[in-house]
């Protein structure tokens, strides 16, 4: 989890991350922050620019030790991508299809010289480090056609920590939001990551 924050934050050095913190008296008595929310803009994932990555951790505390350890539960990770960045990714990757984000799902259209030949409407499934496009409706020349089950497309995701699972996919016109969750986080804070996070977030980290 710390590696994820560190790797994404390193790409936005000119824009320090400003965490939002919620702390209640009861939480402070337990030595923890109730909620820590970090938003990282413009994250690059396998050539696709995510508009933003939002990390929300609850019951956050640091336990002393060599090294200190970060504890939180649960931790949510939500990635947002816009139509403009999807279009840029397909052009850069030279994909022979047009990908459109809609409320129904993701549409993939193929054509020749601007003439649309076929279109597939797909749901999203998780396949390792990718989002897999699973077709549910297909048209050819504007007419319904049998689904081609082996047809698959993929959208890349940022590197995710072990144990993260997808809990929500929210397609919308021109935007897609995918949410992952980790039930419990327990990770060491290494000196290198602590120094870089302290610089980027401008927050003190005990022991460093």
């Amino acid at each position: 989890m710390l590696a994820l924050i560190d790797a994404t934050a390193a790409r936005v050095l000119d824009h320090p991350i400003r965490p939002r913190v919620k702390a209640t008296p009861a939480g402070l008595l337990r030595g923890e922050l109730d909620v820590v929310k970090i938003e990282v803009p413009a994250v690059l994932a396998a050539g696709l620019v995510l508009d933003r990555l939002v990390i929300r951790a609850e019951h956050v505390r640091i336990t002393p030790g060599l090294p200190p350890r970060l504890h939180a539960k649960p931790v949510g990770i939500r990635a947002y991508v816009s139509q403009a960045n999807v279009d840029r990714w397909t052009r850069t990757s030279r994909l022979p299809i047009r990908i459109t984000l809609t409320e129904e799902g993701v549409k993939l259209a193929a054509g020749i010289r601007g003439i649309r030949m076929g279109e597939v409407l797909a749901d999203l499934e998780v396949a390792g480090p990718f989002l897999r496009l699973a077709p549910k409706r297909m048209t050819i020349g504007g007419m319904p056609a049998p689904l081609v089950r082996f047809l698959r497309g993929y959208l890349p995701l940022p590197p995710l920590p072990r144990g993260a699972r997808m809990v929500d996919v929210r397609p919308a016109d021109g935007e897609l939001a995918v949410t992952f969750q980790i039930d419990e986080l327990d990770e060491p804070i290494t000196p290198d990551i602590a120094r870089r996070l302290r610089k980027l977030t401008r927050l003190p980290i005990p022991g460093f």
Side-chain angles (χ1 to χ4, degrees):
M1 179 65 191
L2 287 176
L4 171 63
I5 299 173
D6 182 50
T8 54
R11 300 190 178 99
V12 288
L13 288 172
D14 294 332
H15 304 280
I17 299 168
R18 303 185 187 281
R20 285 182 282 175
V21 177
K22 177 184 177 183
T24 61
L28 293 176
L29 284 174
R30 295 191 300 270
E32 66 182 33
L33 301 174
D34 293 80
V35 178
V36 175
K37 189 174 181 180
I38 300 173
E39 183 169 330
V40 186
V43 177
L44 184 64
L48 173 63
V49 176
L50 304 177
D51 290 72
R52 63 192 186 279
L53 192 69
V54 179
I55 302 170
R56 186 181 190 276
E58 300 181 23
H59 304 290
V60 180
R61 59 187 172 89
I62 296 176
T63 57
L66 294 174
R69 300 189 71 85
L70 175 67
H71 300 269
K73 62 177 181 180
V75 178
I77 305 166
R78 179 169 291 177
Y80 295 85
V81 63
S82 66
Q83 184 66 58
N85 280 326
V86 170
D87 292 342
R88 187 177 297 111
W89 176 64
T90 55
R91 289 195 302 268
T92 302
S93 303
R94 296 183 179 179
L95 298 178
I97 57 174
R98 157 80 171 167
I99 298 175
T100 305
L101 305 178
T102 75
E103 290 184 352
E104 294 182 276
V106 177
K107 288 184 179 179
L108 296 90
I112 300 176
R113 295 180 180 178
I115 301 174
R116 183 171 296 183
M117 304 298 293
E119 183 177 271
V120 176
L121 179 64
D123 284 328
L124 291 166
E125 301 174 346
V126 173
F130 298 94
L131 280 177
R132 181 170 59 199
L133 299 163
K136 62 179 182 179
R137 190 170 71 230
M138 184 174 182
T139 59
I140 296 178
M143 301 295 292
L147 284 176
V148 182
R149 292 295 180 181
F150 59 81
L151 177 64
R152 288 291 184 267
Y154 295 88
L155 293 175
L157 293 171
L160 295 172
R162 185 173 55 186
R165 70 182 190 282
M166 186 178 71
V167 295
D168 188 36
V169 177
R170 296 186 182 183
D173 288 335
E175 186 180 75
L176 177 68
V178 183
T179 305
F180 294 81
Q181 180 172 302
I182 303 171
D183 291 330
E184 185 170 2
L185 176 71
D186 179 3
E187 288 193 15
I189 303 176
T190 65
D192 182 59
I193 289 179
R195 282 192 295 268
R196 294 175 67 180
L197 290 179
R198 182 173 57 188
K199 178 181 178 182
L200 290 166
T201 63
R202 297 177 179 173
L203 288 177
I205 298 177
F208 296 94

